[in-house]
Amino acid sequence: MTLVIDFPLRATVVDMPTDPLPLDRGRPEASRIADSATDAVVGNAFADGDEWALEEAYRRWGALIHTVARRATGNSHDADDVAQAVFVSAWRGRHRYSPDRAALPAWLLGITKRRIADHWDARSREQRRIEAAGHASEAMPQTEESVEQVADRVLIADELSRLDQPQRQIMELAFFDDLTHPQIAERLALPLGTVKSHIRRSLIRLRSRLEVDGVAV
Amino acid sequence: MSQSEMHAPDDLLAMQAMGEALPDAMGRHVSSCPQCQAELDQWTSLVASGRSSSPDDVPGDPSERVWEAIADELGIGVVTKETEAETPAQVVNISSARRRWSTSWLVAASVAGIVGGALLTAGGTALNSSEPSAPVAAPPVIASTSLAALPQHQGAGAATIVETDEGDELVVDVSDLSTGDGFYEVWLIDPETFQMVGLGALVDDSGRFPIPDGLDLSQYSVVDVSLEPLDGDPVHSTDSVVRGELSA
């Protein structure tokens, strides 16, 4: 849609992205403008306490947080609790979030790591009670460092899933299936040089996206 | 400068982390250069994380159930029978020339109703964390738009009109606006007559501006953020940075 606004002093012609966005699963207006907001706008609005930004933050990063929690705790039910605790405490503590210092997903991931640590603390207290009662202990809880590693793995897997084809398939064969570059070339019937240059470009892109999210790997 | 004295390019280090050997001279440089080593360590760590990941690490869709639990615990954004009934009604007084507004809002409201537990998030007033978590309907969003940068400028943002107890407010959130001498001012503009109302200075990345009573938002539908020189002239500078047209 083109809107012409002729200011008193100077004509200005503007193309504005105001095409109506389709209704999305019954989620009304606030979500539809949020669709086009950049991550930085969502972060600023979150810090400012605008509620649409909380829902948008959940839409953008809820699955990431939940997956980190699920992979760290080993079960989906605990991950539900962790994800809920993360967003509730992030919203209540939003005055502590400074958009200038960290991207919102990075800040949320920091809270996620602490909530998972809390989860394991509660687990090990429970375990000590069981041991004190004379029962055999189960597996040791994971350390905080391995939560860090889980978060890195999930972030990378998330970014992989956003690559275009054939880069995505090539990187999945390299990372998920641990194939060598010649094996990938053979599997996909592509020249080895092509495979390598896709991998090179994908790695550069992966890292810059991880840096954009403010999450150092 | 010979090649062995140059730092290794990023993409070669990335490929070495993937197991591809560097050219000999480059390899000798990297093994004796702390800066290249540090860079290589980062790539090695990324590749190690990548190789230990699996399809099960790929996030799926965020769970609606968890979102409902979050909204419920915080007492926000839950559509109640009252807001569903009230919201279309308050749009009715917008002039018939822009009846499409109320129509599209009715569609949105009824879809929200069909979904039942559907959640309405609005740019509402900040909730104090000490408030009890009883579900309270957020103030409804009457209209909204994204804000896009004009040519020669950069920046992005969003603007929403929300209904509060004190009357309607325009909530503006922006980021990365072009900088320049002066200050940012928020305007509502009538795109047909080019009349405009200055709502005030935007001093931060976000601001709230009460809408003057009686201002017809179906007429003054364009939200505009301008860069204003500190010249004491209250007229729009014509230097608009971001802009968008409200729709319900």
Coordinates of all heavy atoms in Angstrom, one line a residue, chain B residues 52-139:
Chain B
S52 N 27.8 -32.7 18.7 CA 27.2 -33.4 19.8 C 25.7 -33.2 19.8 O 25.0 -33.7 20.6 CB 27.8 -33.1 21.1 OG 27.7 -31.7 21.4
S53 N 25.2 -32.3 18.9 CA 23.8 -32.1 18.9 C 23.0 -33.1 18.1 O 23.7 -33.9 17.3 CB 23.5 -30.7 18.3 OG 23.9 -30.6 17.0
S54 N 21.7 -33.2 18.3 CA 21.0 -34.2 17.6 C 19.6 -33.6 17.1 O 19.3 -32.5 17.6 CB 20.7 -35.4 18.5 OG 19.7 -35.1 19.4
P55 N 18.9 -34.3 16.3 CA 17.6 -33.8 15.9 C 16.7 -33.5 17.1 O 15.8 -32.6 17.0 CB 17.0 -34.9 15.0 CG 18.2 -35.6 14.4 CD 19.2 -35.6 15.6
D56 N 16.9 -34.2 18.2 CA 16.1 -33.9 19.3 C 16.4 -32.6 20.0 O 15.6 -32.1 20.9 CB 16.3 -35.1 20.3 CG 15.1 -35.3 21.2 OD1 14.0 -35.0 20.7 OD2 15.2 -35.9 22.3
D57 N 17.5 -31.9 19.6 CA 17.8 -30.6 20.1 C 17.1 -29.5 19.4 O 17.2 -28.3 19.8 CB 19.3 -30.4 20.1 CG 20.1 -31.2 21.1 OD1 19.6 -31.4 22.2 OD2 21.1 -31.8 20.7
V58 N 16.4 -29.8 18.3 CA 15.8 -28.7 17.5 C 14.5 -28.3 18.2 O 13.6 -29.2 18.4 CB 15.5 -29.2 16.1 CG1 14.8 -28.1 15.3 CG2 16.8 -29.6 15.4
P59 N 14.4 -27.1 18.6 CA 13.1 -26.6 19.2 C 11.9 -26.8 18.3 O 12.1 -26.5 17.1 CB 13.4 -25.2 19.6 CG 14.9 -25.0 19.5 CD 15.3 -26.0 18.5
G60 N 10.8 -27.2 18.8 CA 9.6 -27.3 17.9 C 8.8 -26.0 18.1 O 9.3 -24.9 18.0
D61 N 7.5 -26.1 18.3 CA 6.7 -24.9 18.5 C 6.5 -24.7 20.0 O 6.4 -25.7 20.8 CB 5.3 -25.2 17.8 CG 5.4 -25.2 16.3 OD1 6.2 -24.4 15.8 OD2 4.7 -25.9 15.7
P62 N 6.4 -23.5 20.4 CA 6.1 -23.2 21.8 C 4.8 -23.7 22.2 O 3.8 -23.7 21.5 CB 6.2 -21.7 21.9 CG 5.9 -21.2 20.5 CD 6.4 -22.2 19.6
S63 N 4.7 -24.3 23.4 CA 3.5 -24.9 23.9 C 2.4 -23.9 24.3 O 2.8 -23.0 25.1 CB 3.8 -25.9 25.0 OG 2.8 -25.9 26.0
E64 N 1.2 -24.0 23.8 CA 0.1 -23.1 24.2 C -0.2 -23.3 25.7 O -0.5 -22.4 26.4 CB -1.1 -23.4 23.4 CG -1.1 -22.8 22.0 CD -1.0 -21.3 21.9 OE1 -1.6 -20.6 22.7 OE2 -0.2 -20.8 21.0
R65 N -0.1 -24.6 26.1 CA -0.5 -24.9 27.5 C 0.5 -24.1 28.5 O 0.0 -23.6 29.5 CB -0.4 -26.4 27.7 CG -1.0 -26.9 28.9 CD -1.3 -28.4 28.8 NE -0.1 -29.1 28.1 CZ 1.0 -29.4 28.8 NH1 1.1 -29.2 30.0 NH2 2.0 -30.0 28.1
V66 N 1.8 -24.2 28.2 CA 2.7 -23.5 29.0 C 2.5 -22.0 29.0 O 2.5 -21.3 30.0 CB 4.2 -23.8 28.6 CG1 5.2 -22.9 29.4 CG2 4.5 -25.3 28.9
W67 N 2.2 -21.4 27.8 CA 1.9 -20.0 27.7 C 0.7 -19.7 28.6 O 0.6 -18.7 29.3 CB 1.6 -19.6 26.3 CG 1.1 -18.2 26.2 CD1 -0.2 -17.8 25.8 CD2 1.7 -17.0 26.7 NE1 -0.3 -16.5 25.9 CE2 0.8 -15.9 26.5 CE3 2.9 -16.7 27.3 CZ2 1.1 -14.6 26.8 CZ3 3.2 -15.4 27.6 CH2 2.3 -14.4 27.4
E68 N -0.4 -20.5 28.5 CA -1.6 -20.2 29.4 C -1.2 -20.2 30.8 O -1.7 -19.4 31.6 CB -2.7 -21.3 29.1 CG -3.4 -20.9 27.8 CD -4.2 -22.1 27.2 OE1 -4.6 -23.0 28.1 OE2 -4.5 -22.2 26.0
A69 N -0.3 -21.2 31.2 CA 0.1 -21.2 32.6 C 0.8 -20.0 33.0 O 0.7 -19.4 34.1 CB 1.0 -22.5 32.9
I70 N 1.7 -19.5 32.1 CA 2.5 -18.2 32.4 C 1.5 -17.0 32.5 O 1.5 -16.3 33.5 CB 3.5 -17.9 31.3 CG1 4.6 -19.0 31.2 CG2 4.1 -16.5 31.4 CD1 5.4 -19.0 29.9
A71 N 0.6 -16.9 31.6 CA -0.4 -15.8 31.6 C -1.2 -15.9 32.8 O -1.5 -14.8 33.5 CB -1.2 -15.8 30.3
D72 N -1.6 -17.1 33.2 CA -2.5 -17.3 34.3 C -1.7 -16.9 35.6 O -2.2 -16.2 36.5 CB -2.9 -18.7 34.4 CG -4.0 -19.0 35.4 OD1 -4.9 -18.1 35.5 OD2 -3.9 -19.9 36.2
E73 N -0.5 -17.3 35.7 CA 0.3 -17.0 36.9 C 0.5 -15.5 37.1 O 0.5 -15.0 38.2 CB 1.6 -17.8 36.9 CG 2.4 -17.6 38.3 CD 3.6 -18.5 38.4 OE1 3.8 -19.4 37.5 OE2 4.4 -18.3 39.3
L74 N 0.7 -14.8 35.9 CA 1.0 -13.4 36.0 C -0.3 -12.6 36.0 O -0.3 -11.4 36.1 CB 1.9 -13.0 34.8 CG 3.3 -13.5 34.9 CD1 4.0 -13.3 33.5 CD2 4.1 -12.8 36.0
G75 N -1.4 -13.3 35.7 CA -2.7 -12.6 35.7 C -2.8 -11.6 34.6 O -3.3 -10.5 34.8
I76 N -2.3 -11.9 33.4 CA -2.4 -11.0 32.3 C -3.0 -11.6 31.1 O -3.0 -12.8 30.9 CB -1.0 -10.5 31.9 CG1 -0.1 -11.7 31.5 CG2 -0.3 -9.7 33.0 CD1 1.1 -11.3 30.7
G77 N -3.5 -10.7 30.3 CA -3.8 -11.0 28.9 C -4.9 -12.1 28.7 O -5.1 -12.5 27.6
V78 N -5.6 -12.4 29.7 CA -6.6 -13.5 29.5 C -7.9 -12.8 29.0 O -8.4 -11.9 29.6 CB -6.9 -14.2 30.8 CG1 -7.9 -15.3 30.6 CG2 -5.6 -14.8 31.3
V79 N -8.4 -13.3 27.9 CA -9.7 -12.8 27.4 C -10.8 -13.2 28.3 O -11.1 -14.4 28.5 CB -9.9 -13.2 26.0 CG1 -11.3 -12.8 25.5 CG2 -8.9 -12.7 25.0
T80 N -11.5 -12.3 28.8 CA -12.7 -12.6 29.6 C -13.9 -12.3 28.8 O -13.9 -11.7 27.8 CB -12.8 -11.8 30.9 OG1 -13.0 -10.4 30.5 CG2 -11.5 -11.9 31.7
K81 N -15.1 -12.8 29.3 CA -16.4 -12.5 28.6 C -16.5 -11.0 28.4 O -17.0 -10.5 27.4 CB -17.5 -13.1 29.4 CG -17.6 -14.6 29.2 CD -18.2 -15.0 27.9 CE -18.0 -16.5 27.6 NZ -17.9 -16.7 26.2
E82 N -16.2 -10.3 29.5 CA -16.4 -8.8 29.5 C -15.6 -8.1 28.4 O -16.1 -7.3 27.7 CB -16.0 -8.2 30.8 CG -17.0 -8.4 31.9 CD -16.4 -8.3 33.3 OE1 -15.9 -9.3 33.7 OE2 -16.4 -7.2 33.8
T83 N -14.3 -8.5 28.3 CA -13.5 -7.8 27.3 C -14.0 -8.1 25.9 O -14.0 -7.3 25.0 CB -12.0 -8.1 27.4 OG1 -11.8 -9.5 27.5 CG2 -11.4 -7.4 28.6
E84 N -14.4 -9.4 25.7 CA -14.9 -9.8 24.4 C -16.1 -8.9 24.0 O -16.3 -8.5 22.9 CB -15.3 -11.2 24.4 CG -14.2 -12.2 24.1 CD -14.6 -13.6 24.1 OE1 -15.7 -13.9 23.6 OE2 -13.9 -14.4 24.7
A85 N -17.0 -8.7 25.0 CA -18.2 -8.0 24.8 C -17.9 -6.5 24.6 O -18.5 -5.8 23.8 CB -19.2 -8.2 25.9
E86 N -17.0 -6.0 25.4 CA -16.8 -4.5 25.3 C -16.0 -4.1 24.1 O -16.2 -3.0 23.6 CB -16.0 -4.1 26.6 CG -16.9 -4.0 27.8 CD -16.1 -3.8 29.1 OE1 -14.9 -3.6 28.9 OE2 -16.7 -3.9 30.2
T87 N -15.0 -4.9 23.7 CA -14.1 -4.4 22.8 C -14.7 -4.0 21.5 O -14.4 -2.9 21.0 CB -13.0 -5.5 22.5 OG1 -12.5 -5.8 23.8 CG2 -11.9 -4.9 21.7
P88 N -15.6 -4.8 20.9 CA -16.2 -4.3 19.6 C -17.0 -3.0 19.8 O -16.9 -2.1 19.0 CB -17.1 -5.4 19.1 CG -16.7 -6.6 19.9 CD -16.1 -6.1 21.2
A89 N -17.6 -2.9 21.0 CA -18.5 -1.8 21.2 C -17.7 -0.5 21.2 O -18.2 0.5 20.7 CB -19.2 -2.0 22.6
Q90 N -16.6 -0.5 21.7 CA -15.9 0.8 21.8 C -15.3 1.3 20.5 O -14.9 2.4 20.4 CB -14.7 0.7 22.8 CG -13.7 -0.3 22.4 CD -12.4 -0.1 23.1 OE1 -12.2 1.0 23.7 NE2 -11.6 -1.0 23.1
V91 N -15.3 0.4 19.5 CA -14.8 0.8 18.2 C -16.0 1.3 17.4 O -15.7 2.0 16.4 CB -14.2 -0.4 17.5 CG1 -13.5 0.0 16.2 CG2 -13.1 -1.1 18.4
V92 N -17.2 1.1 17.8 CA -18.3 1.5 17.0 C -18.4 3.0 16.8 O -18.8 3.4 15.7 CB -19.6 1.0 17.7 CG1 -20.8 1.6 17.1 CG2 -19.7 -0.5 17.6
N93 N -17.9 3.8 17.7 CA -18.0 5.2 17.5 C -17.0 5.8 16.5 O -17.0 7.0 16.2 CB -18.0 6.0 18.8 CG -16.7 5.7 19.6 OD1 -15.8 5.2 19.0 ND2 -16.7 6.0 20.8
I94 N -16.2 4.9 16.0 CA -15.3 5.4 14.9 C -16.1 5.6 13.6 O -17.0 4.9 13.3 CB -14.1 4.4 14.7 CG1 -13.1 4.6 15.8 CG2 -13.5 4.6 13.3 CD1 -12.0 3.7 15.8
S95 N -15.8 6.7 13.0 CA -16.6 7.2 11.9 C -16.9 6.1 10.8 O -16.0 5.2 10.6 CB -16.0 8.4 11.2 OG -15.0 8.0 10.4
S96 N -18.0 6.2 10.1 CA -18.4 5.1 9.2 C -17.4 5.0 8.0 O -17.3 4.0 7.4 CB -19.8 5.4 8.7 OG -19.8 6.7 8.1
A97 N -16.7 6.2 7.8 CA -15.7 6.1 6.7 C -14.7 5.1 6.9 O -14.1 4.5 5.9 CB -15.1 7.5 6.5
R98 N -14.4 4.7 8.1 CA -13.4 3.7 8.4 C -14.0 2.5 9.1 O -13.5 1.9 10.0 CB -12.3 4.3 9.3 CG -11.6 5.5 8.7 CD -10.8 5.1 7.5 NE -10.1 6.2 6.9 CZ -8.9 6.5 7.1 NH1 -8.1 5.8 7.8 NH2 -8.3 7.6 6.5
R99 N -15.2 2.2 8.6 CA -15.9 1.1 9.2 C -15.1 -0.2 9.2 O -15.3 -1.1 10.0 CB -17.3 0.9 8.6 CG -18.2 -0.1 9.4 CD -19.7 0.2 9.1 NE -20.2 1.5 9.6 CZ -20.7 1.6 10.7 NH1 -20.9 0.6 11.5 NH2 -21.2 2.8 11.1
R100 N -14.3 -0.3 8.2 CA -13.5 -1.6 8.1 C -12.7 -1.9 9.4 O -12.4 -3.0 9.7 CB -12.5 -1.5 6.9 CG -11.5 -0.3 7.1 CD -10.6 -0.2 5.8 NE -9.8 1.0 5.9 CZ -8.6 1.0 6.4 NH1 -8.1 -0.1 6.9 NH2 -7.9 2.1 6.5
W101 N -12.4 -0.8 10.1 CA -11.7 -1.0 11.4 C -12.6 -1.9 12.3 O -12.1 -2.9 12.8 CB -11.6 0.3 12.1 CG -10.4 1.1 11.7 CD1 -9.9 1.0 10.4 CD2 -9.6 2.0 12.4 NE1 -8.8 1.9 10.4 CE2 -8.6 2.5 11.6 CE3 -9.6 2.4 13.7 CZ2 -7.7 3.4 12.0 CZ3 -8.7 3.3 14.2 CH2 -7.7 3.8 13.3
S102 N -13.8 -1.4 12.5 CA -14.6 -2.2 13.5 C -14.9 -3.6 13.0 O -14.9 -4.5 13.7 CB -15.9 -1.5 13.8 OG -16.5 -1.1 12.6
T103 N -15.1 -3.7 11.7 CA -15.3 -5.0 11.1 C -14.1 -5.9 11.4 O -14.3 -7.1 11.8 CB -15.5 -4.9 9.5 OG1 -16.4 -3.8 9.3 CG2 -16.1 -6.2 9.0
S104 N -12.9 -5.5 11.1 CA -11.8 -6.4 11.3 C -11.6 -6.7 12.8 O -11.2 -7.8 13.1 CB -10.5 -5.8 10.7 OG -10.1 -4.7 11.4
W105 N -11.9 -5.7 13.6 CA -11.8 -6.0 15.0 C -12.8 -7.0 15.5 O -12.5 -8.0 16.2 CB -11.9 -4.7 15.9 CG -11.9 -5.1 17.3 CD1 -12.9 -5.1 18.2 CD2 -10.7 -5.5 18.0 NE1 -12.4 -5.5 19.4 CE2 -11.0 -5.8 19.3 CE3 -9.3 -5.6 17.6 CZ2 -10.1 -6.2 20.3 CZ3 -8.4 -6.1 18.6 CH2 -8.8 -6.3 19.9
L106 N -14.1 -6.9 14.9 CA -15.1 -7.9 15.3 C -14.6 -9.3 14.8 O -14.8 -10.3 15.6 CB -16.4 -7.6 14.5 CG -17.2 -6.5 15.2 CD1 -18.3 -6.0 14.3 CD2 -17.8 -7.1 16.5
V107 N -14.0 -9.4 13.7 CA -13.5 -10.7 13.2 C -12.5 -11.2 14.2 O -12.6 -12.3 14.7 CB -12.9 -10.6 11.8 CG1 -12.2 -11.9 11.5 CG2 -13.9 -10.3 10.8
A108 N -11.5 -10.4 14.6 CA -10.5 -10.8 15.5 C -11.1 -11.2 16.9 O -10.8 -12.2 17.4 CB -9.5 -9.6 15.8
A109 N -12.1 -10.4 17.3 CA -12.7 -10.8 18.6 C -13.5 -12.1 18.6 O -13.4 -12.9 19.5 CB -13.6 -9.6 19.1
S110 N -14.2 -12.3 17.4 CA -14.9 -13.5 17.4 C -14.1 -14.7 17.2 O -14.3 -15.8 17.8 CB -16.0 -13.4 16.3 OG -15.3 -13.4 15.0
V111 N -13.0 -14.6 16.5 CA -12.0 -15.7 16.4 C -11.5 -16.0 17.8 O -11.4 -17.1 18.2 CB -10.9 -15.4 15.4 CG1 -9.8 -16.5 15.4 CG2 -11.5 -15.3 14.0
A112 N -11.1 -15.0 18.5 CA -10.6 -15.2 19.9 C -11.7 -15.9 20.7 O -11.3 -16.8 21.5 CB -10.3 -13.8 20.5
G113 N -12.9 -15.6 20.4 CA -14.0 -16.2 21.2 C -14.1 -17.7 20.8 O -14.3 -18.5 21.7
I114 N -14.0 -18.0 19.5 CA -14.1 -19.4 19.1 C -13.0 -20.2 19.7 O -13.2 -21.3 20.2 CB -14.0 -19.5 17.5 CG1 -15.2 -18.9 16.9 CG2 -13.8 -20.9 17.1 CD1 -15.1 -18.5 15.5
V115 N -11.8 -19.7 19.8 CA -10.7 -20.4 20.3 C -10.9 -20.7 21.8 O -10.4 -21.6 22.4 CB -9.4 -19.7 20.1 CG1 -8.2 -20.4 20.8 CG2 -9.1 -19.7 18.6
G116 N -11.8 -19.8 22.4 CA -12.1 -20.1 23.8 C -11.0 -19.6 24.8 O -11.1 -18.5 25.2
G117 N -10.1 -20.4 25.0 CA -9.0 -20.0 25.9 C -8.0 -19.1 25.2 O -6.9 -18.8 25.8
A118 N -8.3 -18.6 24.1 CA -7.3 -17.7 23.4 C -6.9 -16.5 24.2 O -7.7 -16.0 25.0 CB -8.0 -17.2 22.1
L119 N -5.7 -16.1 24.0 CA -5.1 -15.1 24.9 C -5.0 -13.8 24.2 O -4.5 -13.8 23.0 CB -3.8 -15.6 25.4 CG -3.9 -16.9 26.1 CD1 -2.6 -17.6 26.2 CD2 -4.4 -16.7 27.5
L120 N -5.4 -12.8 24.8 CA -5.3 -11.5 24.2 C -4.3 -10.7 25.0 O -4.4 -10.5 26.2 CB -6.7 -10.8 24.4 CG -6.7 -9.3 24.0 CD1 -6.2 -9.0 22.6 CD2 -8.1 -8.7 24.2
T121 N -3.2 -10.4 24.3 CA -2.2 -9.6 25.0 C -2.2 -8.2 24.4 O -2.4 -8.0 23.2 CB -0.8 -10.2 24.6 OG1 -0.8 -11.6 24.8 CG2 0.3 -9.6 25.5
A122 N -2.2 -7.3 25.3 CA -2.3 -5.9 24.9 C -1.2 -5.1 25.5 O -0.6 -5.5 26.5 CB -3.7 -5.3 25.3
G123 N -0.9 -4.0 24.9 CA 0.2 -3.2 25.4 C -0.4 -2.4 26.6 O -0.6 -1.2 26.6
G124 N -0.6 -3.1 27.7 CA -1.3 -2.6 28.8 C -0.4 -1.9 29.8 O 0.8 -1.8 29.6
T125 N -1.0 -1.5 30.9 CA -0.2 -0.8 31.9 C 0.7 -1.9 32.6 O 0.3 -3.0 32.6 CB -1.1 -0.2 33.0 OG1 -2.1 -1.2 33.3 CG2 -1.8 1.0 32.4
A126 N 1.8 -1.4 33.0 CA 2.8 -2.4 33.7 C 2.2 -2.9 34.9 O 1.6 -2.2 35.7 CB 4.1 -1.6 34.0
L127 N 2.3 -4.2 35.1 CA 1.8 -4.9 36.3 C 2.9 -4.8 37.3 O 4.1 -5.2 37.1 CB 1.5 -6.4 36.0 CG 0.1 -6.7 35.4 CD1 0.1 -8.2 35.2 CD2 -0.9 -6.3 36.4
N128 N 2.5 -4.5 38.5 CA 3.5 -4.5 39.6 C 3.7 -5.9 40.0 O 2.7 -6.7 40.2 CB 2.9 -3.7 40.8 CG 3.9 -3.5 41.9 OD1 4.6 -4.4 42.2 ND2 3.9 -2.3 42.4
S129 N 4.9 -6.3 40.2 CA 5.2 -7.8 40.5 C 4.6 -8.2 41.8 O 4.4 -9.3 42.1 CB 6.7 -8.0 40.5 OG 7.3 -7.2 41.4
S130 N 4.3 -7.2 42.7 CA 3.8 -7.6 44.0 C 2.2 -7.7 44.0 O 1.6 -8.1 44.9 CB 4.1 -6.5 45.1 OG 3.5 -5.3 44.7
E131 N 1.7 -7.4 42.8 CA 0.2 -7.6 42.7 C -0.2 -9.0 42.8 O 0.5 -9.9 42.3 CB -0.3 -7.0 41.4 CG -0.5 -5.5 41.4 CD -1.0 -4.9 40.1 OE1 -1.3 -5.8 39.2 OE2 -1.0 -3.7 39.9
P132 N -1.4 -9.3 43.4 CA -1.8 -10.7 43.4 C -2.0 -11.1 42.0 O -2.3 -10.3 41.1 CB -3.1 -10.6 44.2 CG -3.6 -9.2 44.1 CD -2.3 -8.3 44.0
S133 N -1.9 -12.5 41.8 CA -1.9 -13.0 40.4 C -3.3 -13.3 40.0 O -3.5 -14.2 39.1 CB -1.0 -14.1 40.3 OG -1.4 -15.1 41.1
A134 N -4.4 -12.7 40.5 CA -5.7 -12.9 40.0 C -5.8 -12.5 38.5 O -5.3 -11.5 38.2 CB -6.7 -12.1 40.8
P135 N -6.5 -13.3 37.7 CA -6.5 -13.0 36.3 C -7.3 -11.6 36.1 O -8.4 -11.5 36.6 CB -7.4 -14.1 35.7 CG -7.3 -15.2 36.7 CD -7.1 -14.6 38.0
V136 N -6.6 -10.7 35.4 CA -7.2 -9.4 35.1 C -7.1 -9.2 33.6 O -6.0 -9.5 33.1 CB -6.4 -8.3 35.9 CG1 -7.1 -7.0 35.5 CG2 -6.4 -8.5 37.4
A137 N -8.1 -8.8 33.0 CA -8.0 -8.5 31.6 C -7.1 -7.4 31.3 O -7.2 -6.3 32.0 CB -9.4 -8.3 31.0
A138 N -6.2 -7.5 30.4 CA -5.3 -6.4 30.0 C -6.2 -5.4 29.2 O -7.1 -5.8 28.6 CB -4.2 -6.9 29.1
P139 N -5.8 -4.1 29.2 CA -6.5 -3.2 28.5 C -6.5 -3.5 27.0 O -5.4 -3.9 26.5 CB -5.8 -1.9 28.7 CG -4.6 -2.2 29.5 CD -4.7 -3.6 30.0

